Amino acid sequence: MTTTADLPTTLQTFLETSILPAEPLHEAHIAKFTHSDRWTLSAIPPTLHALQGKAQSLHLWNLFLPHPIPETLLHKNSTLSPPIPIQPPQILTNSQYAPLAEIMGRSPLASEICNCSAPDTGNMEVLLKFGTPYQQERYLLPLLRGESRSAFLMTEPDVASSDARNLETTLSPSQNKNGGRYVLNGRKWWSTGVMDPRCKMVLMVARTDPSLLQSPSAKGEAAATTVAASTTTSTRRERVPQTVVILPLPHPGIRLVRPLTVFGYDDAPHGHAEVELINVEVKEEDIILGLGRGFEIAQERLGPGRIHHCMRAIGLAARCYELMLERTLTRSTFSKPLHSHGSIREMIADSATDLESARLLTLSCAAEMDRKGNRSARDKIAMIKVAVPKLTLRVVDRAVQVFGAAGVCDDFPLARALVGLRTLRIADGPDEVHKQTLALIEIKKAKQRIQSKL
C-alpha cells in the first residue's frame, strides 16, 4: 500500500508517464466538437475514465479529504458496483496535501483524474462536514465515486458579488401547498461546472427572506452567524443571513442561460455558465445545516479551497518556468544562446525567487491551518490568496516573453496558464477583499499589542 511518504513520488511518476502524455489526446478529442455539442457526454475524452481507474489503483483518489468518511457511507459504497476505494489510505493534513496539489497543478487534467478538482472538492467537504445522512448518500457518495460532478452557484451578474450582502437570489416561503416549503428565485453566473453533462447537483447561496427567520431556533442560529461574521468588517454592518441550498440536476426550475468564456476559452466540457432560477421548489431536506447559516458554510468551504488553488497555481507556474528554461537553452539570438543575455538571466532569477516565495508562503499557511484551524488562519489564507496568483502570474508572463510569438498561441500551455492565473486574482474573492481582511486582522493584532502594554 502507498504510504504518505510515497505519495509525492507515486503521483509525480503517474503524472509524467500517464497524464502528461494524455494531454494532446484529450485536447484533440474535445476539438472535434463544436457549439452545444462541446457540453455533451460524447465530448468527454475516453482516456479520462481509464486514467481515473489507474489513479484509484495507485491510491491517488480523493487525496484532498480532510476527514474520514462516515462508516454508514463506506458500508453503502461497499455494496455498489464497480468497487471503488473512496477513502484514501491516509487522511492527509494540509501540509501533506499541499505538495501533492502542486504536482497535480502541473497538468489541467491531473486534479480531475485524481478526483481532487474544484468545485467538487469544496462541495464534498461541505457535505462531509454539514450534510445530513440523506444528503451524503444521495449527493456525496456519487461524487466520492467519481460518478457525477457538481457546481457551486454564488456570483450574480447584477450586483457586486464580492460582498455577499449584495446577493439578490432569494429563498422565500412557498405559496404552493403541494410543493416544497420554500421557493428560490434569482440569477447566477460564473457557475463553474454547471455546463458539465455529468453535473448532477448544485450548491447555491441565497439571501434568506426575513419571514423565514422568525422562529426562535432559526432566528437564534442566524443571529449567531451574523454576529460572528460582522466582526470581520470595519463597519460591523449587519450581514444579511444567507442560506445554502442543495438541488439535483437537471431540475425544471434551473435554466442554463448561456455558457461563459474566460478570455475566449470555454473550458468545455466542464465550463462556466449563467443560470436562471425560476420558482425553484425547495424542500426542508434541501437546506444545508439550517436557515441563515450560509456564511458559516461558505467560509469553511473557501478556506481549504483557496490553499488548493494556490498550490495548483505554483505547480502550473513551475511547469511554465521549466519550459522557459528549456527555451533559453535551445534558442539563440544575436549570435549567442538566450540564457547568455543579461535580461534573460534576470528573468530566470526573478522567476525562481517568485516560485519559491509562493511555495514557502503557502506551506506556511498550510502549517498554520493544521495547527490552529481554518478560521484562526484567516490572515494567512488571505495573504496567499493575494500573493500567490501575482507571483505565479509574473513567472508565466516572463515565460511568454521568452517564447515570443509562440507563447501566445496554443502550441504551448503558456497562454492558457496566463489566463487561468489572471482569473485567479478574481475567483474566490478579488485581491481587494482579501487585502481588506488581512489589514483588519493586522490592525486588530496591533491594537491588542498596544493594549497589553498599558
Side-chain angles (χ1 to χ4, degrees):
M1 180 178 291
T2 304
T3 65
T4 302
D6 295 333
L7 282 173
T9 302
T10 303
L11 181 57
Q12 184 70 38
T13 302
F14 181 44
L15 177 86
E16 293 174 357
T17 60
S18 299
I19 298 177
L20 294 180
E23 287 184 355
L25 299 174
H26 188 93
E27 292 295 328
H29 180 85
I30 297 173
K32 298 175 184 177
F33 298 85
T34 59
H35 307 297
S36 60
D37 289 341
R38 290 175 62 78
W39 288 278
T40 61
L41 287 173
S42 299
I44 297 171
T47 53
L48 184 65
H49 183 69
L51 288 171
Q52 287 179 327
K54 190 170 183 179
Q56 293 164 10
S57 67
L58 292 171
H59 305 289
L60 298 174
W61 190 255
N62 290 338
L63 294 174
F64 72 95
L65 284 175
H67 311 292
I69 298 170
E71 287 295 330
T72 53
L73 217 55
L74 290 174
H75 174 71
K76 177 64 177 178
N77 179 65
S78 68
T79 66
L80 302 177
S81 182
I84 295 176
I86 60 173
Q87 181 148 285
Q90 306 89 20
I91 298 299
L92 305 177
T93 64
N94 289 295
S95 298
Q96 292 169 329
Y97 181 68
L100 303 177
E102 179 179 344
I103 294 171
M104 285 187 274
R106 295 177 65 87
S107 170
L109 308 183
S111 292
E112 183 176 359
I113 287 169
C114 296
N115 211 34
C116 293
S117 57
D120 297 336
T121 50
N123 291 343
M124 284 190 270
E125 287 174 0
V126 166
L127 288 168
L128 187 61
K129 183 166 184 177
F130 301 114
T132 64
Y134 163 78
Q135 293 166 347
Q136 290 180 343
E137 182 173 332
R138 179 171 183 182
Y139 299 111
L140 176 58
L141 185 55
L143 288 172
L144 289 169
R145 290 175 57 83
E147 295 173 341
S148 69
R149 297 215 60 182
S150 63
F152 185 71
L153 282 59
M154 182 167 181
T155 306
E156 299 182 2
D158 298 327
V159 296
S161 305
S162 56
D163 183 350
R165 290 168 290 198
N166 291 336
L167 296 184
E168 294 180 340
T169 297
T170 304
L171 184 71
S172 309
S174 175
Q175 304 302 316
N176 183 0
K177 301 300 183 181
N178 299 318
R181 183 173 178 182
Y182 315 104
V183 65
L184 195 64
N185 282 283
R187 186 177 289 263
K188 301 285 187 179
W189 74 340
W190 296 109
S191 304
T192 300
V194 76
M195 291 291 295
D196 194 311
R198 299 162 296 176
C199 183
K200 300 301 180 185
M201 59 144 280
V202 296
L203 280 183
M204 70 182 76
V205 182
R207 172 191 294 263
T208 312
D209 188 296
S211 66
L212 295 175
L213 300 172
Q214 297 306 309
S215 68
S217 59
K219 190 174 182 180
E221 287 179 355
T225 303
T226 300
V227 170
S230 66
T231 60
T232 66
T233 65
S234 57
T235 61
R236 296 181 183 266
R237 179 160 60 95
E238 182 174 315
R239 186 178 295 273
V240 177
Q242 311 285 347
T243 296
V244 174
V245 176
I246 185 169
L247 291 169
L249 280 185
H251 191 288
I254 300 177
R255 185 174 75 90
L256 304 186
V257 178
R258 57 173 176 145
L260 301 171
T261 59
V262 183
F263 290 99
Y265 291 100
D266 63 13
D267 294 335
H270 196 51
H272 325 270
E274 181 174 349
V275 179
E276 189 175 20
L277 309 166
I278 309 168
N279 295 324
V280 178
E281 292 288 341
V282 177
K283 302 175 182 178
E284 195 69 47
E285 63 197 29
D286 301 325
I287 304 296
I288 301 285
L289 192 60
L291 295 171
R293 306 290 292 276
F295 180 80
E296 178 183 348
I297 297 169
Q299 290 306 299
E300 284 290 335
R301 183 186 186 280
L302 292 175
R306 285 167 181 155
I307 195 169
H308 298 171
H309 274 315
C310 287
M311 290 308 297
R312 285 194 295 265
I314 294 166
L316 177 60
R319 181 180 179 183
C320 296
Y321 171 63
E322 291 165 13
L323 289 172
M324 181 182 81
L325 285 174
E326 292 172 9
R327 192 77 165 185
T328 67
L329 295 172
T330 58
R331 293 292 177 112
S332 299
T333 58
F334 304 103
S335 304
K336 60 181 180 179
L338 283 179
H339 66 80
S340 296
H341 293 280
S343 59
I344 298 296
R345 291 180 175 180
E346 183 177 351
M347 288 184 183
I348 293 171
D350 287 344
S351 296
T353 302
D354 284 347
L355 273 175
E356 191 65 7
S357 298
R359 183 179 292 114
L360 293 176
L361 194 60
T362 307
L363 289 173
S364 172
C365 176
E368 190 86 350
M369 292 169 70
D370 291 336
R371 285 195 304 267
K372 299 182 178 180
N374 299 348
R375 191 178 297 273
S376 298
R378 282 172 48 249
D379 54 342
K380 295 277 191 179
I381 294 171
M383 196 181 296
I384 64 168
K385 186 55 179 65
V386 172
V388 172
K390 285 185 177 180
L391 291 167
T392 53
L393 183 62
R394 292 196 316 217
V395 173
V396 178
D397 184 66
R398 295 186 194 107
V400 170
Q401 195 68 19
V402 168
F403 269 74
V408 298
C409 73
D410 285 339
D411 289 359
F412 298 92
L414 305 181
R416 187 182 288 269
L418 196 72
V419 165
L421 293 174
R422 181 60 185 88
T423 306
L424 192 54
R425 292 188 56 196
I426 301 172
D428 281 352
D431 290 356
E432 291 73 19
V433 171
H434 297 294
K435 286 181 178 180
Q436 175 173 275
T437 297
L438 178 57
L440 289 172
I441 294 173
E442 289 297 304
I443 291 168
K444 182 178 179 180
K445 289 179 184 177
K447 288 180 178 179
Q448 290 174 340
R449 285 196 300 270
I450 293 170
Q451 187 65 32
S452 66
K453 295 177 181 178
L454 298 179

